Amino acid sequence: LNEAKEQLLRNQMHPHFLFNAFNSLYSLCLKNSAEASEYVLKLSSMMRYLTDEIHLDKVPLTKELDFIKKYIDIEKMRFGKNAAIQLIANGDINNGKLIQPFLLIALVENAFKHGFYTNSKDAFVNITLDIENNELLFCVENSLFVKQHFQESNRKGKGLDNLRQRLHLLYPKNSSFEINNTDNRYRTQLKITLD
């Protein structure tokens, strides 16, 4: 039953991700951007990962990190090469550690959805992944802005709730998840003890 629940939660993420990705591609096409073809290539590579790894219980951490890097590359195409988007990985990432697929991307997507939806010069997303022994610490911090009336939405996001449910099913005693925010900064921190 837990496996079925986890698979359902994992599958719910894909349409959400695709919706955001195609909106970004649409924006590039409207600008007649030469980067649109590169965007499609990166998106295709990400889709290959989504389809090839969906059935696996665990994947190498390096593959998950590569998926996140491609996502960030796509967002940099959308917001410009000089956008304040940073990814730092510390520790022995290539140590053969395995992780449940598509856990970390939920935090990255959330940061862009709520912290980088504007072209403000003050917008930023900082992502840090630390590995020490069997401990993975994944922190995502993004800017927050007061939304204008036309940016308001009654849609309730599912990404972080989905992540909490998956953590409860997959790492019930080996994970913690925290959210801290101020008026202009939102920070999520995920800690997982890997096998």
Side-chain angles (χ1 to χ4, degrees):
L1 181 59
N2 279 350
E3 285 179 28
K5 285 180 185 176
E6 198 279 325
Q7 189 64 41
L8 176 64
L9 291 168
R10 190 188 295 190
N11 289 341
Q12 285 178 353
M13 190 202 78
H14 304 311
H16 177 72
F17 168 75
L18 282 176
F19 178 76
N20 289 342
F22 281 119
N23 274 341
S24 298
L25 179 58
Y26 175 72
S27 297
L28 283 176
C29 290
L30 284 178
K31 298 174 190 173
N32 290 324
S33 172
E35 293 180 317
S37 60
E38 185 182 345
Y39 186 102
V40 170
L41 194 61
K42 286 189 184 291
L43 185 57
S44 172
S45 174
M46 293 175 73
M47 294 308 301
R48 171 76 57 198
Y49 179 69
L50 285 169
T51 57
D52 288 355
E53 310 300 332
I54 187 72
H55 65 282
L56 299 177
D57 288 337
K58 294 188 179 177
V59 295
L61 181 59
T62 51
K63 282 191 173 186
E64 193 75 359
L65 190 57
D66 185 57
F67 180 75
I68 290 169
K69 286 177 182 176
K70 287 178 180 152
Y71 180 93
I72 290 170
D73 287 345
I74 285 173
E75 292 295 3
K76 281 186 177 180
M77 286 181 202
R78 180 179 172 201
F79 290 107
K81 299 280 186 211
N82 295 324
I85 303 168
Q86 184 176 27
L87 170 64
I88 298 171
N90 301 309
D92 187 10
I93 306 301
N94 298 313
N95 62 5
K97 293 293 181 195
L98 302 174
I99 189 170
Q100 293 285 334
F102 315 116
L103 282 175
L104 306 179
I105 192 64
L107 300 179
V108 178
E109 276 189 297
N110 192 66
F112 280 98
K113 179 180 176 186
H114 298 291
F116 221 95
Y117 56 85
T118 176
N119 279 326
S120 168
K121 63 180 177 54
D122 297 324
F124 68 88
V125 172
N126 296 325
I127 304 163
T128 308
L129 185 145
D130 290 296
I131 293 282
E132 188 172 328
N133 299 321
N134 289 342
E135 292 291 325
L136 176 144
L137 182 62
F138 191 68
C139 297
V140 180
E141 191 171 50
N142 60 269
S143 50
L144 282 179
F145 298 97
V146 175
K147 290 189 177 183
Q148 304 298 320
H149 69 281
F150 59 86
Q151 294 169 317
E152 292 294 335
S153 171
N154 291 331
R155 279 187 71 238
K156 184 177 182 325
K158 296 178 183 172
L160 297 185
D161 287 342
N162 184 311
L163 175 64
R164 283 188 185 96
Q165 291 176 49
R166 290 188 68 207
L167 289 171
H168 178 73
L169 291 170
L170 301 169
Y171 297 98
K173 296 179 181 176
N174 298 320
S175 66
S176 65
F177 178 59
E178 297 176 9
I179 297 174
N180 298 296
N181 61 314
T182 63
D183 289 341
N184 59 0
R185 188 174 294 255
Y186 188 87
R187 184 174 192 271
T188 56
Q189 178 177 296
L190 173 60
K191 186 183 282 189
I192 300 175
T193 302
L194 301 173
D195 297 335

